[in-house]
Every structure is written in C-alpha cells, then in structure tokens.
Amino acid sequence: MRDDDPQTIGAYTLVCRLGAGGMGQVYLAESPAGQQVAVKVIKPSVLDEDSRARFLPEVDNLKTVYEPFIASFVAADAQAERPWPAVEYVAGPDLPAFVTERGPLPLVETASLGALLAEGLGTVHEAGLLHHDLKPQNILLAPHGPKVIDFGLAVLAERRSVLTATGWVVGSVLCMPPEQARGEHHLSPVADVYALGAVLLYAATGHYPYTGPSRQAVALKIEDPDTPPGLSGLPPRLEPLISAMLALDPVARPALVEVTAELVQVMAEQGLTAVQAKRRLTDLTAGTAPAEPPVLPRTTGLPNGWTGYTPTVVDAACGVFIAPRIAERPTEERRVAEQGQTRYPPGAPLDCGRLGADGHAPLPP
C-alpha cells in the first residue's frame, strides 16, 4: 500500500495492491468478517454519467452468474465517487506469468483450458453479458481450474472514449476482434470467441495472433484480410479450430458450444476424458499458486528497535514472502551485514515489500 491509497472501500479494509491496469487499481481487501476479495477502484478519467448508468445493469446481471470458472461477483458501488466492483479473490498467477515462467501449455492442457473457459463464457453470455476484453491477463490459474476476471467492466471501457482523437481504438488490441478494432459498439458473442482463440494461441505458443511496434500497427493487421494471424508453434491439431475462431468475418467463427465440443474431442484423441485432462491442467499449474489467500505481515513499532514478523505465504500477486518468526532484536552485526547501517531508530516501520536472503525485511535508513 502507498500513502495515497485509501484505507477502506465501502465496507472493505484494503490490505495490499494486487495490480493496476487501464481501468484502475486492484486491491486485496477484507470484509468485516474476514472474507478476502479483489476490489477494483475505477479511475476518474474513464467515468461519465452514461458509463455509470451502463454499469448498473451490468452489475445486476453479474449477480445472476454462478459459474465455477468465472470469478464470483461479491459487491459493487456504481454511485461512489470512484465506482468499484468486488469479486472473489483468486489465489493464483495469471496466464502470462505462468507462460513466462514455465513455458507454453502442452496440447491436452491447452484443450482443457479452452474447454473450461468456453463453458464459462457461455454461461455469462446466457446472462446477457459479453466480456469485451478477454486476454491472458484476465485468466487466473486457480488451484481448481482457470478463472476469468474483469467481467462487468466493459461498459466502462467502452464509454465515451472508445476512440482516441486520432481515431484509434482504446483497449487490449492484441486479443481484439476486427469488428471491435474498427470501433463497432454492438458486438455479438463471437467477439469473445475471437478473443478466446487469441488467448488459446498465446497459451499454446507464448505469442499473439498479431504483433507490431505500436497499437495502431497491430490494429491495422487485425483488420487486413490479406494478413492472416500468425500461428507458428501451434500444435497442428489445434490449427483448424484456432483459425476458425480468429476468422475476420464474425459469421465464420464457431459458437462456444462448438469450441467446447472440438476441444473435448482433442482430449479424447489423446486417450483422456475431460475430467482427466482438467486434472492434468490443474496439476501443472497448482505449483504456482498459494494454497490459501495471503495473510500479509502486520508490522508495528516495537520498543528499543525490536522487529515483529507475522507468518504468511508466497503470493504471486503481492510478491510477498515472510517466514514465521518471533520478534527479535536486530544485532549490530546484522545491521552492518545487510545494509551497512549503524543506526536503527526505535519503532521505525519495516518495508515488507523488499526482503533479504534470510527472509527478513530490510532495515530502514
């Protein structure tokens, strides 16, 4: 947390920053009863009265969605000075973090990921919602399967600034379908099908359908019928499906039920049921996620330069690890060895975001 961060949002106490994006800042927060949630505080720059009004029905629709692979909606306030939604906290890395650290997913695991996400998206579409910004960063790899996040924020991302003054689309262009890249407002569910195809291509290869030196260059490639998507490294068995999902013409893209059926067939050809393939996916990704939500360190000034440590766990989002340790008085040798310091003010706070090799927080100046 930073000095300018709020301490509370609604009834929730903010604990730490989880990340940030074009829409706003995301925090880990706790309810009065101890439930941990992810709260996204929307930037004032993306708000107007129209976007607030559009956000309300999105919230109402989100309340009706109960899908194991969609992060559950918890609460929201569209009328706050800075509107915010809160969803369940998902303990696990996003897809880019996993691919960067461990490499692309194998064929079966990619098929399982795609089938689970397609099924989850289908449920949300039935509730009258589209995602509009599906991308690897919005796929979290939870211990029991993937979770899609950031539903309900599309109406804020759409709002009055869909196009910049130069006419270019604002958004995550790397996974954006051509019709959205052109600035069309009335999208159909196959817009999410295109984005899911881009996500699966990334999961299996580590790259996107189109790349370029700028957002504008990528958008031009997406809209160009003479520039096919780059599928290098994609398992041949997935090429027909991913190509269809990335079709320039929305009518040519398969429905989500067709995507699910084809991916289940891929698993069957490898001698696995969908349940067995899902287990292989979660076994592969489980080692990257903490077993439970983090309990962040609470440090307070102790007399005579003593420091206190609270048990916590590794958390990919917060980047924090502190081993269980009782309060101890730092020695002169430790001060000199760690930071070359000779003074340690009594009661000075610790910086828990930077840790020494022994798991200690560094001493303040």
Side-chain angles (χ1 to χ4, degrees), residues 222-250:
I222 291 172
E223 298 178 59
D224 183 5
D226 296 324
T227 306
L231 303 182
S232 61
L234 187 67
R237 180 62 182 84
L238 294 178
E239 284 188 14
L241 176 63
I242 300 301
S243 294
M245 296 173 74
L246 296 175
L248 185 68
D249 183 358

Side-chain angles (χ1 to χ4, degrees), residues 20-244:
M23 296 296 300
Q25 183 68 49
V26 186
Y27 299 92
L28 176 68
E30 296 173 348
S31 74
Q35 179 189 17
Q36 293 192 310
V37 298
V39 175
K40 175 165 281 192
V41 181
I42 308 301
K43 290 180 179 178
S45 60
V46 302
L47 296 173
D48 59 16
E49 290 307 312
D50 178 61
S51 63
R52 288 176 184 267
R54 288 162 149 233
F55 188 46
L56 289 172
E58 293 278 305
V59 166
D60 289 338
N61 285 345
L62 278 172
K63 293 176 182 178
T64 69
V65 176
Y66 295 95
E67 220 298 326
F69 304 116
I70 304 296
S72 298
F73 172 83
V74 178
D77 187 352
Q79 301 301 330
E81 181 179 354
R82 296 183 64 183
W84 55 269
V87 299
E88 67 170 308
Y89 171 74
V90 180
D94 61 24
L95 184 57
F98 179 88
V99 171
T100 299
E101 180 181 350
R102 304 279 295 277
L105 298 179
L107 172 63
V108 166
E109 286 79 354
T110 300
S112 178
L113 175 72
L116 295 170
L117 295 178
E119 202 167 73
L121 286 170
T123 300
V124 177
H125 288 175
E126 290 173 3
L129 290 168
L130 298 182
H131 195 293
H132 289 75
D133 193 25
L134 189 67
K135 56 188 177 182
Q137 291 82 356
N138 284 335
I139 309 299
L140 301 184
L141 300 175
H144 301 294
K147 293 268 191 178
V148 181
I149 61 172
D150 271 5
F151 265 104
L153 299 184
V155 291
L156 297 179
E158 253 177 17
R159 74 231 158 254
R160 52 195 165 93
S161 56
V162 172
L163 299 178
T164 66
T166 57
W168 297 109
V169 175
V170 174
S172 304
V173 72
L174 291 172
C175 296
M176 187 178 289
E179 60 271 27
Q180 189 174 1
R182 289 191 295 268
E184 295 181 14
H185 289 249
H186 302 292
L187 303 178
S188 69
V190 292
D192 281 347
V193 171
Y194 181 101
L196 178 58
V199 166
L200 295 183
L201 175 65
Y202 178 87
T205 67
H207 67 77
Y208 295 96
Y210 299 96
T211 58
S214 67
R215 179 193 303 271
Q216 294 90 337
V218 175
L220 287 173
K221 289 182 180 180
I222 291 172
E223 298 178 59
D224 183 5
D226 296 324
T227 306
L231 303 182
S232 61
L234 187 67
R237 180 62 182 84
L238 294 178
E239 284 188 14
L241 176 63
I242 300 301
S243 294

